[in-house]
Amino acid sequence: LMVQIAFYDLIALLFAVLSSFLVSHSFSGPIRQLSAATGRIRSGDFTVRIPVRSRDDVGELVESFNDMVSGLE
């Protein structure tokens, strides 16, 4: 019985680690793109746009960023 419990605990732990990796990656990718695009704007490249890949808060942030850059051109 203890072996079974330990096995299910290990499966739950692996699932939790995988889930947290996927969620953090879905946030960090667009944030890194925003950071890189900000650097390009700082260098004078106002043609930079970031593709909107989601409709959540991060997607809205990316869309707002693109609107802001369009207003700077």
Side-chain angles (χ1 to χ4, degrees):
L1 180 63
M2 294 298 280
V3 173
Q4 243 182 340
I5 292 172
F7 176 74
Y8 289 126
D9 285 347
L10 180 63
I11 296 295
L13 178 65
L14 290 174
F15 179 74
V17 168
L18 180 63
S19 297
S20 65
F21 174 76
L22 292 174
V23 168
S24 68
H25 184 69
S26 71
F27 285 108
S28 64
I31 299 297
R32 275 190 251 120
Q33 286 181 319
L34 282 168
S35 179
T38 302
R40 287 177 56 188
I41 291 170
R42 191 177 323 127
S43 299
D45 180 7
F46 295 103
T47 63
V48 63
R49 298 294 183 276
I50 301 171
V52 179
R53 294 193 172 107
S54 65
R55 291 288 162 205
D56 58 6
D57 293 342
V58 176
E60 286 182 29
L61 177 63
V62 170
E63 196 169 334
S64 294
F65 177 86
N66 289 336
D67 291 343
M68 178 193 71
V69 175
S70 293
L72 295 175
E73 286 185 302

